[in-house]
Each structure stands twice: as C-alpha cells, then as structure tokens.
Amino acid sequence: MGLLALLLALAVGYGIYEFLHSLASKEATPENPVAAHEVIRTALATLTFAGAVLAGVYAYRKQRLAEGDAHRADDKQLAERFTTAADQLGHDQAAVRLAGVYAMARLADDWIEQRQVCVDVLCAYLRMPYEPNPEAASTASVGESLSSTPAAYKEGEREVRLTIIRTIRSHLQPQAPTSWSACNFDFTRATFDGGYLQGSLFQGTVSFGGAEFSGRSFYFGGADFSAGRVYFGGAKFSGGRVDFRGAKFSGASVDFTGAKFSRGSVYFGGAKFSGGSVDFTGAKFSGGTVTFIDAEFSGGTVTFIGAKFSRGSVDFTGAKFSAGSVDFGRAKFSGGTVTFIDAVYSGGTVDFEEVTGAPQNWGPFPPTDSGG
C-alpha cells in the first residue's frame, strides 16, 4: 500500500513538472531560456500545497470518524446506564430502588438528548399503584389493568417516592446546577401522601390530573408556574394539607376542572394568578377548607362555572380581583360557608348569573354592577 502511494505521488509530481515545463516553454525566449530548477521548485511547491490540503482533509476525516466512534460509544454507555437504572427501579428491595432513583437522575443530567425520557420514567414510577397503609393487602385479580390494580403495601416505598419528589424539586430550583424546568411532568392519577415542591419553577406542561392528595402535607408554596399548562383536572384533595401559598400562576393555563375538595385543607393564600386562565369549572367543594385569603387574580379569566359548594368552607377573604373576568355562572351554593369579606374588586367583570343558592358572608363582594 505504501509503495503504491509512493508511485502515485511520483507520477503526480512528474505530471505537474511536465505541465509547468510546457507552460514555461511557451513563454521562453532565446534571451530567457527555461530554467529547469525554477520549474522543479514550482512543482515542489505545488506538490507541498496539495499534500498539505490532502493531509488536512485526511486528518479532518479521521477526526470525524473518531468522534463518531466516541459518540456511539457514549450513546451505548448511556443506554446501558438507562437499562441498569430502570432495572434497579423495579427491584423488590427499597434500597436498590433508591439507588435506581439517583442513577436515573444522574443520567438525566448527563444525557441531554434523552433527559425528558429519564424524567418520564421517574414520573411513571409515581404513577404506579401505591398503598401507604402497612396493613393493606392486595386484592388484585388476574387480568386487571395496572391503573386499576390495588397495590399491596411495600416496605420502604414511601421513602422511595419522597426521594423522587425531592430529586425533582432540587432540579426545579432557579439556582439548580442542572435544570429540568423546561421538561414536562406527568403525575396523572398518582397518589401523594406528602412531599415538597415549593419554590419550583415549571416552564413546561405539568399534569396532576386525577391525582389524589390524601394524608400528610404536600407543599407547592412559592412555586412558579410560568408557562405551558398546569392540569389538576379531576384531582382529589381528600385529606391532609396541600399548600399553594405564595405560588405564582403567570401566563399559564391552570385547570382544576372537576377537581374534588372533600377533606383536609387546600391553601391558595397569597397566590398570584396573573394572565392566562384559571378554571375551576365543575369543581366540587364538599368538605374541608379551601382558602384564597389575600390571593390576587389579575388579568386573564377565573372560572367557577357550575362549581358546587356543598360543605366545608371556601374563603376569599381579602382576595383581590383586578381586570380580566371572574365567572361563577351556574355555580351551586347548597351548604357550607363561602366567604368574600373584604374582597376587593377593581375593573373587569364578575358574573354570578344563574347561581343556585347564595354564598354566606358576602361582605361587599361582588359590586352591584358586576353583572350578577
């Protein structure tokens, strides 16, 4: 191979020499004959330049091949890490599952192209059937779907799930070294019996549709839902405490359609709803306490169309409604306490048309020209 390359180089060099010599001969005169050494020098310079170009092309090609091999090797290694972490998450022992949580989180940090997939796996774990009661036994029958299968209590499972929530929260803080804020989070029909997402920044789509908050406390305090869609449609607040105090819903579509507030307490005190839409259409307030004390609704639309207030208490004391629209049309007030004392309304519209019953403790809200 080397001999062939040498012969080829000699042939190319000779060809260049002959070409340059013939050009020089045409311009030569008796007074200025062709100088062979000048032709040779020019031919060598041309060969050197051509060789440098070819060497550069060869080096570039070699580098690209090496980078391609390295990239494929990295992808293979990352895929192997994914498989290992997924296997750990499915292990019977809680300690191994915990290792899987951390392994999947580290992989999400390292594998930018597949970060969403890694986040999806962690969210999917939280969507798995979960039984927080240590005395519960599985009554699942063969052939039942995963979503409808009652879960047996598993030792250490709560700690695994809380670790996932803490890991997600740490990556959603504004100062997080590696941010997952742009990712989507799907917690559909997940069961939460405690956890912290306070101070988190959500910039993608977030779904808690059909999720159940039962027992203990779950904190969203100071969370920032600044874009995309925030979905709590059909969520069940059936115990414990869910805290949205100071949360910011700015420009997002916030959907609590059909949510059920039956026990425990849900705090929206001091929360800021600005722009976008907040939809409680068809929500059922049938127990517990839901508090909007000092919440701010500015711009956008806030909808309680067809909401049912039957028991417990819903408190809008000191809430501020400015610009935009607030619609309680066809809402049903049949029991419990709904309070608007010291609520402030400025601008926009408030609609109480076709309301059934009347909330208690109206205070000065809504104004007589609100349209209801």
Side-chain angles (χ1 to χ4, degrees):
M1 188 68 180
L3 179 60
L4 180 61
L6 177 61
L7 292 175
L8 181 61
L10 290 174
V12 171
Y14 180 74
I16 293 174
Y17 172 80
E18 286 296 322
F19 175 72
L20 294 174
H21 187 272
S22 64
L23 289 179
S25 297
K26 291 179 181 179
E27 299 179 359
T29 63
E31 293 80 11
N32 297 299
V34 177
H37 68 278
E38 292 294 337
V39 176
I40 293 173
R41 181 185 300 170
T42 304
L44 288 175
T46 304
L47 279 174
T48 301
F49 176 75
V53 171
L54 292 173
V57 171
Y58 173 76
Y60 174 75
R61 177 62 177 168
K62 185 176 180 180
Q63 180 182 355
R64 290 297 301 272
L65 290 173
E67 289 176 351
D69 291 340
H71 185 70
R72 283 188 291 273
D74 288 343
D75 282 348
K76 181 179 179 181
Q77 182 188 47
L78 292 169
E80 290 174 350
R81 287 173 58 188
F82 180 87
T83 301
T84 300
D87 287 343
Q88 289 176 317
L89 286 171
H91 201 276
D92 290 337
Q93 295 183 14
V96 179
R97 296 198 298 276
L98 282 170
V101 172
Y102 292 119
M104 190 63 73
R106 285 195 300 270
L107 182 58
D109 291 342
D110 296 340
W111 202 0
I112 299 175
E113 296 84 357
Q114 298 298 329
R115 177 171 296 161
Q116 181 65 63
V117 174
C118 298
V119 170
D120 288 343
V121 171
L122 294 176
C123 291
Y125 190 100
L126 294 177
R127 296 198 304 269
M128 298 286 283
Y130 168 55
E131 176 51 68
N133 183 359
E135 298 180 357
S138 176
T139 58
S141 61
V142 177
E144 285 186 305
S145 65
L146 182 63
S147 61
S148 63
T149 300
Y153 175 79
K154 291 195 294 185
E155 188 69 34
E157 180 65 4
R158 183 169 186 266
E159 181 57 35
V160 175
R161 299 170 77 88
L162 290 177
T163 298
I164 293 177
I165 296 170
R166 283 196 300 267
T167 300
I168 291 174
R169 176 184 175 272
S170 68
H171 286 84
L172 294 178
Q173 299 303 298
Q175 72 277 13
T178 302
S179 176
W180 296 356
S181 290
C183 293
N184 300 323
F185 293 87
D186 185 359
F187 303 111
T188 302
R189 293 187 295 278
T191 298
F192 297 97
D193 64 335
Y196 296 81
L197 285 174
Q198 75 269 34
S200 296
L201 173 61
F202 295 93
Q203 295 176 314
T205 298
V206 185
S207 177
F208 288 89
E212 183 170 1
F213 297 87
S214 58
R216 295 187 172 90
S217 299
F218 199 99
Y219 293 93
F220 291 95
D224 188 343
F225 301 89
S226 61
R229 185 182 186 215
V230 184
Y231 185 65
F232 283 86
K236 301 175 183 178
F237 299 88
S238 57
R241 169 177 175 158
V242 181
D243 195 334
F244 289 91
R245 283 187 292 185
K248 298 177 182 179
F249 301 89
S250 55
S253 171
V254 185
D255 193 341
F256 283 87
T257 301
K260 299 176 182 178
F261 302 85
S262 59
R263 288 186 294 121
S265 56
V266 182
Y267 291 90
F268 289 95
K272 295 179 172 60
F273 302 88
S274 58
S277 61
V278 185
D279 194 347
F280 286 89
T281 295
K284 297 179 180 179
F285 300 87
S286 58
T289 302
V290 182
T291 301
F292 291 91
I293 295 176
D294 294 327
E296 297 180 11
F297 300 88
S298 58
T301 60
V302 183
T303 304
F304 288 87
I305 294 175
K308 298 178 180 179
F309 302 85
S310 58
R311 290 194 304 275
S313 65
V314 182
D315 193 347
F316 289 92
T317 297
K320 299 177 178 63
F321 300 85
S322 59
S325 63
V326 183
D327 192 347
F328 284 86
R330 299 190 299 280
K332 297 180 181 180
F333 299 89
S334 58
T337 302
V338 182
T339 303
F340 290 94
I341 292 176
D342 294 329
V344 178
Y345 166 79
S346 59
T349 61
V350 178
D351 186 353
F352 275 82
E353 291 185 355
E354 300 182 34
V355 169
T356 301
Q360 300 179 22
N361 299 327
W362 279 90
F365 186 87
T368 56
D369 61 348
S370 64

PDB file of all heavy atoms in Angstrom, residues 210-231:
ATOM      1  N   GLY A 210     -56.385  13.829  37.975  1.00  0.00           N
ATOM      2  CA  GLY A 210     -56.823  12.623  38.667  1.00  0.00           C
ATOM      3  C   GLY A 210     -55.941  12.207  39.814  1.00  0.00           C
ATOM      4  O   GLY A 210     -56.169  11.153  40.422  1.00  0.00           O
ATOM      5  N   ALA A 211     -54.921  13.002  40.138  1.00  0.00           N
ATOM      6  CA  ALA A 211     -54.043  12.652  41.259  1.00  0.00           C
ATOM      7  C   ALA A 211     -54.804  12.783  42.573  1.00  0.00           C
ATOM      8  O   ALA A 211     -55.781  13.523  42.681  1.00  0.00           O
ATOM      9  CB  ALA A 211     -52.819  13.561  41.277  1.00  0.00           C
ATOM     10  N   GLU A 212     -54.352  12.031  43.572  1.00  0.00           N
ATOM     11  CA  GLU A 212     -55.006  12.083  44.877  1.00  0.00           C
ATOM     12  C   GLU A 212     -54.022  12.532  45.936  1.00  0.00           C
ATOM     13  O   GLU A 212     -52.942  11.958  46.095  1.00  0.00           O
ATOM     14  CB  GLU A 212     -55.592  10.727  45.255  1.00  0.00           C
ATOM     15  CG  GLU A 212     -56.337  10.763  46.584  1.00  0.00           C
ATOM     16  CD  GLU A 212     -57.128   9.496  46.865  1.00  0.00           C
ATOM     17  OE1 GLU A 212     -57.074   8.571  46.031  1.00  0.00           O
ATOM     18  OE2 GLU A 212     -57.789   9.428  47.919  1.00  0.00           O
ATOM     19  N   PHE A 213     -54.421  13.584  46.663  1.00  0.00           N
ATOM     20  CA  PHE A 213     -53.636  14.090  47.782  1.00  0.00           C
ATOM     21  C   PHE A 213     -54.359  13.669  49.053  1.00  0.00           C
ATOM     22  O   PHE A 213     -55.402  14.231  49.403  1.00  0.00           O
ATOM     23  CB  PHE A 213     -53.513  15.614  47.691  1.00  0.00           C
ATOM     24  CG  PHE A 213     -52.778  16.088  46.459  1.00  0.00           C
ATOM     25  CD1 PHE A 213     -53.454  16.288  45.271  1.00  0.00           C
ATOM     26  CD2 PHE A 213     -51.414  16.317  46.493  1.00  0.00           C
ATOM     27  CE1 PHE A 213     -52.788  16.725  44.133  1.00  0.00           C
ATOM     28  CE2 PHE A 213     -50.729  16.748  45.361  1.00  0.00           C
ATOM     29  CZ  PHE A 213     -51.427  16.946  44.176  1.00  0.00           C
ATOM     30  N   SER A 214     -53.809  12.674  49.733  1.00  0.00           N
ATOM     31  CA  SER A 214     -54.511  12.095  50.880  1.00  0.00           C
ATOM     32  C   SER A 214     -53.544  11.913  52.039  1.00  0.00           C
ATOM     33  O   SER A 214     -52.580  11.169  51.951  1.00  0.00           O
ATOM     34  CB  SER A 214     -55.108  10.735  50.504  1.00  0.00           C
ATOM     35  OG  SER A 214     -54.101   9.857  50.069  1.00  0.00           O
ATOM     36  N   GLY A 215     -53.794  12.604  53.110  1.00  0.00           N
ATOM     37  CA  GLY A 215     -52.960  12.441  54.294  1.00  0.00           C
ATOM     38  C   GLY A 215     -51.672  13.239  54.202  1.00  0.00           C
ATOM     39  O   GLY A 215     -51.162  13.538  53.141  1.00  0.00           O
ATOM     40  N   ARG A 216     -51.159  13.610  55.357  1.00  0.00           N
ATOM     41  CA  ARG A 216     -49.922  14.374  55.488  1.00  0.00           C
ATOM     42  C   ARG A 216     -49.998  15.678  54.690  1.00  0.00           C
ATOM     43  O   ARG A 216     -51.061  16.145  54.323  1.00  0.00           O
ATOM     44  CB  ARG A 216     -48.731  13.514  55.091  1.00  0.00           C
ATOM     45  CG  ARG A 216     -48.514  12.320  56.037  1.00  0.00           C
ATOM     46  CD  ARG A 216     -47.213  11.594  55.715  1.00  0.00           C
ATOM     47  NE  ARG A 216     -46.900  10.586  56.697  1.00  0.00           N
ATOM     48  CZ  ARG A 216     -47.285   9.327  56.639  1.00  0.00           C
ATOM     49  NH1 ARG A 216     -48.038   8.930  55.622  1.00  0.00           N
ATOM     50  NH2 ARG A 216     -46.950   8.463  57.583  1.00  0.00           N
ATOM     51  N   SER A 217     -48.847  16.287  54.409  1.00  0.00           N
ATOM     52  CA  SER A 217     -48.836  17.604  53.770  1.00  0.00           C
ATOM     53  C   SER A 217     -48.028  17.579  52.484  1.00  0.00           C
ATOM     54  O   SER A 217     -46.987  16.915  52.394  1.00  0.00           O
ATOM     55  CB  SER A 217     -48.230  18.657  54.715  1.00  0.00           C
ATOM     56  OG  SER A 217     -49.008  18.769  55.899  1.00  0.00           O
ATOM     57  N   PHE A 218     -48.536  18.310  51.504  1.00  0.00           N
ATOM     58  CA  PHE A 218     -47.817  18.471  50.243  1.00  0.00           C
ATOM     59  C   PHE A 218     -47.711  19.970  49.973  1.00  0.00           C
ATOM     60  O   PHE A 218     -48.710  20.686  49.995  1.00  0.00           O
ATOM     61  CB  PHE A 218     -48.542  17.781  49.088  1.00  0.00           C
ATOM     62  CG  PHE A 218     -47.660  17.524  47.910  1.00  0.00           C
ATOM     63  CD1 PHE A 218     -47.097  16.266  47.728  1.00  0.00           C
ATOM     64  CD2 PHE A 218     -47.372  18.521  46.984  1.00  0.00           C
ATOM     65  CE1 PHE A 218     -46.260  16.019  46.643  1.00  0.00           C
ATOM     66  CE2 PHE A 218     -46.536  18.280  45.917  1.00  0.00           C
ATOM     67  CZ  PHE A 218     -45.983  17.022  45.732  1.00  0.00           C
ATOM     68  N   TYR A 219     -46.476  20.437  49.708  1.00  0.00           N
ATOM     69  CA  TYR A 219     -46.231  21.873  49.612  1.00  0.00           C
ATOM     70  C   TYR A 219     -45.851  22.294  48.195  1.00  0.00           C
ATOM     71  O   TYR A 219     -44.907  21.776  47.591  1.00  0.00           O
ATOM     72  CB  TYR A 219     -45.102  22.273  50.561  1.00  0.00           C
ATOM     73  CG  TYR A 219     -45.462  22.122  52.023  1.00  0.00           C
ATOM     74  CD1 TYR A 219     -45.164  20.949  52.706  1.00  0.00           C
ATOM     75  CD2 TYR A 219     -46.099  23.151  52.703  1.00  0.00           C
ATOM     76  CE1 TYR A 219     -45.504  20.801  54.046  1.00  0.00           C
ATOM     77  CE2 TYR A 219     -46.439  23.014  54.048  1.00  0.00           C
ATOM     78  CZ  TYR A 219     -46.143  21.837  54.717  1.00  0.00           C
ATOM     79  OH  TYR A 219     -46.478  21.690  56.040  1.00  0.00           O
ATOM     80  N   PHE A 220     -46.609  23.273  47.665  1.00  0.00           N
ATOM     81  CA  PHE A 220     -46.270  23.954  46.419  1.00  0.00           C
ATOM     82  C   PHE A 220     -45.935  25.419  46.692  1.00  0.00           C
ATOM     83  O   PHE A 220     -45.857  26.223  45.767  1.00  0.00           O
ATOM     84  CB  PHE A 220     -47.453  23.927  45.443  1.00  0.00           C
ATOM     85  CG  PHE A 220     -47.789  22.572  44.875  1.00  0.00           C
ATOM     86  CD1 PHE A 220     -48.766  21.782  45.456  1.00  0.00           C
ATOM     87  CD2 PHE A 220     -47.136  22.093  43.744  1.00  0.00           C
ATOM     88  CE1 PHE A 220     -49.100  20.548  44.927  1.00  0.00           C
ATOM     89  CE2 PHE A 220     -47.455  20.862  43.205  1.00  0.00           C
ATOM     90  CZ  PHE A 220     -48.441  20.077  43.791  1.00  0.00           C
ATOM     91  N   GLY A 221     -45.756  25.782  47.947  1.00  0.00           N
ATOM     92  CA  GLY A 221     -45.567  27.180  48.320  1.00  0.00           C
ATOM     93  C   GLY A 221     -44.463  27.854  47.518  1.00  0.00           C
ATOM     94  O   GLY A 221     -43.355  27.338  47.408  1.00  0.00           O
ATOM     95  N   GLY A 222     -44.777  29.021  46.948  1.00  0.00           N
ATOM     96  CA  GLY A 222     -43.780  29.777  46.205  1.00  0.00           C
ATOM     97  C   GLY A 222     -43.413  29.188  44.857  1.00  0.00           C
ATOM     98  O   GLY A 222     -42.524  29.709  44.176  1.00  0.00           O
ATOM     99  N   ALA A 223     -44.084  28.114  44.449  1.00  0.00           N
ATOM    100  CA  ALA A 223     -43.785  27.539  43.139  1.00  0.00           C
ATOM    101  C   ALA A 223     -44.190  28.516  42.041  1.00  0.00           C
ATOM    102  O   ALA A 223     -45.117  29.321  42.205  1.00  0.00           O
ATOM    103  CB  ALA A 223     -44.511  26.210  42.964  1.00  0.00           C
ATOM    104  N   ASP A 224     -43.493  28.441  40.912  1.00  0.00           N
ATOM    105  CA  ASP A 224     -43.741  29.367  39.809  1.00  0.00           C
ATOM    106  C   ASP A 224     -44.159  28.556  38.579  1.00  0.00           C
ATOM    107  O   ASP A 224     -43.357  27.864  37.977  1.00  0.00           O
ATOM    108  CB  ASP A 224     -42.462  30.163  39.513  1.00  0.00           C
ATOM    109  CG  ASP A 224     -42.692  31.279  38.497  1.00  0.00           C
ATOM    110  OD1 ASP A 224     -43.723  31.243  37.799  1.00  0.00           O
ATOM    111  OD2 ASP A 224     -41.836  32.172  38.401  1.00  0.00           O
ATOM    112  N   PHE A 225     -45.451  28.646  38.254  1.00  0.00           N
ATOM    113  CA  PHE A 225     -45.975  28.002  37.047  1.00  0.00           C
ATOM    114  C   PHE A 225     -46.091  29.103  35.995  1.00  0.00           C
ATOM    115  O   PHE A 225     -47.101  29.806  35.915  1.00  0.00           O
ATOM    116  CB  PHE A 225     -47.339  27.368  37.327  1.00  0.00           C
ATOM    117  CG  PHE A 225     -47.323  26.330  38.419  1.00  0.00           C
ATOM    118  CD1 PHE A 225     -47.518  26.691  39.746  1.00  0.00           C
ATOM    119  CD2 PHE A 225     -47.110  24.991  38.127  1.00  0.00           C
ATOM    120  CE1 PHE A 225     -47.514  25.733  40.756  1.00  0.00           C
ATOM    121  CE2 PHE A 225     -47.094  24.027  39.136  1.00  0.00           C
ATOM    122  CZ  PHE A 225     -47.293  24.407  40.444  1.00  0.00           C
ATOM    123  N   SER A 226     -45.047  29.287  35.212  1.00  0.00           N
ATOM    124  CA  SER A 226     -44.964  30.487  34.377  1.00  0.00           C
ATOM    125  C   SER A 226     -45.267  30.244  32.906  1.00  0.00           C
ATOM    126  O   SER A 226     -45.294  31.193  32.126  1.00  0.00           O
ATOM    127  CB  SER A 226     -43.559  31.103  34.496  1.00  0.00           C
ATOM    128  OG  SER A 226     -42.573  30.191  34.058  1.00  0.00           O
ATOM    129  N   ALA A 227     -45.452  29.037  32.487  1.00  0.00           N
ATOM    130  CA  ALA A 227     -45.718  28.787  31.070  1.00  0.00           C
ATOM    131  C   ALA A 227     -46.386  27.434  30.923  1.00  0.00           C
ATOM    132  O   ALA A 227     -46.534  26.678  31.880  1.00  0.00           O
ATOM    133  CB  ALA A 227     -44.410  28.824  30.262  1.00  0.00           C
ATOM    134  N   GLY A 228     -46.783  27.130  29.713  1.00  0.00           N
ATOM    135  CA  GLY A 228     -47.365  25.827  29.454  1.00  0.00           C
ATOM    136  C   GLY A 228     -48.718  25.658  30.096  1.00  0.00           C
ATOM    137  O   GLY A 228     -49.473  26.609  30.288  1.00  0.00           O
ATOM    138  N   ARG A 229     -49.035  24.436  30.486  1.00  0.00           N
ATOM    139  CA  ARG A 229     -50.338  24.120  31.061  1.00  0.00           C
ATOM    140  C   ARG A 229     -50.152  23.418  32.396  1.00  0.00           C
ATOM    141  O   ARG A 229     -49.319  22.529  32.539  1.00  0.00           O
ATOM    142  CB  ARG A 229     -51.107  23.217  30.100  1.00  0.00           C
ATOM    143  CG  ARG A 229     -52.538  22.916  30.552  1.00  0.00           C
ATOM    144  CD  ARG A 229     -53.213  21.980  29.577  1.00  0.00           C
ATOM    145  NE  ARG A 229     -54.624  21.784  29.911  1.00  0.00           N
ATOM    146  CZ  ARG A 229     -55.277  20.647  29.749  1.00  0.00           C
ATOM    147  NH1 ARG A 229     -54.654  19.599  29.253  1.00  0.00           N
ATOM    148  NH2 ARG A 229     -56.548  20.542  30.057  1.00  0.00           N
ATOM    149  N   VAL A 230     -50.941  23.830  33.379  1.00  0.00           N
ATOM    150  CA  VAL A 230     -50.930  23.201  34.703  1.00  0.00           C
ATOM    151  C   VAL A 230     -52.287  22.543  34.878  1.00  0.00           C
ATOM    152  O   VAL A 230     -53.315  23.226  34.930  1.00  0.00           O
ATOM    153  CB  VAL A 230     -50.677  24.243  35.808  1.00  0.00           C
ATOM    154  CG1 VAL A 230     -50.565  23.550  37.153  1.00  0.00           C
ATOM    155  CG2 VAL A 230     -49.428  25.056  35.508  1.00  0.00           C
ATOM    156  N   TYR A 231     -52.292  21.229  34.971  1.00  0.00           N
ATOM    157  CA  TYR A 231     -53.558  20.493  34.939  1.00  0.00           C
ATOM    158  C   TYR A 231     -53.779  19.723  36.233  1.00  0.00           C
ATOM    159  O   TYR A 231     -53.013  18.833  36.581  1.00  0.00           O
ATOM    160  CB  TYR A 231     -53.563  19.532  33.751  1.00  0.00           C
ATOM    161  CG  TYR A 231     -54.874  18.809  33.545  1.00  0.00           C
ATOM    162  CD1 TYR A 231     -56.030  19.505  33.203  1.00  0.00           C
ATOM    163  CD2 TYR A 231     -54.960  17.430  33.693  1.00  0.00           C
ATOM    164  CE1 TYR A 231     -57.243  18.845  33.008  1.00  0.00           C
ATOM    165  CE2 TYR A 231     -56.160  16.758  33.495  1.00  0.00           C
ATOM    166  CZ  TYR A 231     -57.302  17.472  33.164  1.00  0.00           C
ATOM    167  OH  TYR A 231     -58.497  16.822  32.975  1.00  0.00           O
TER     168      TYR A 231
END
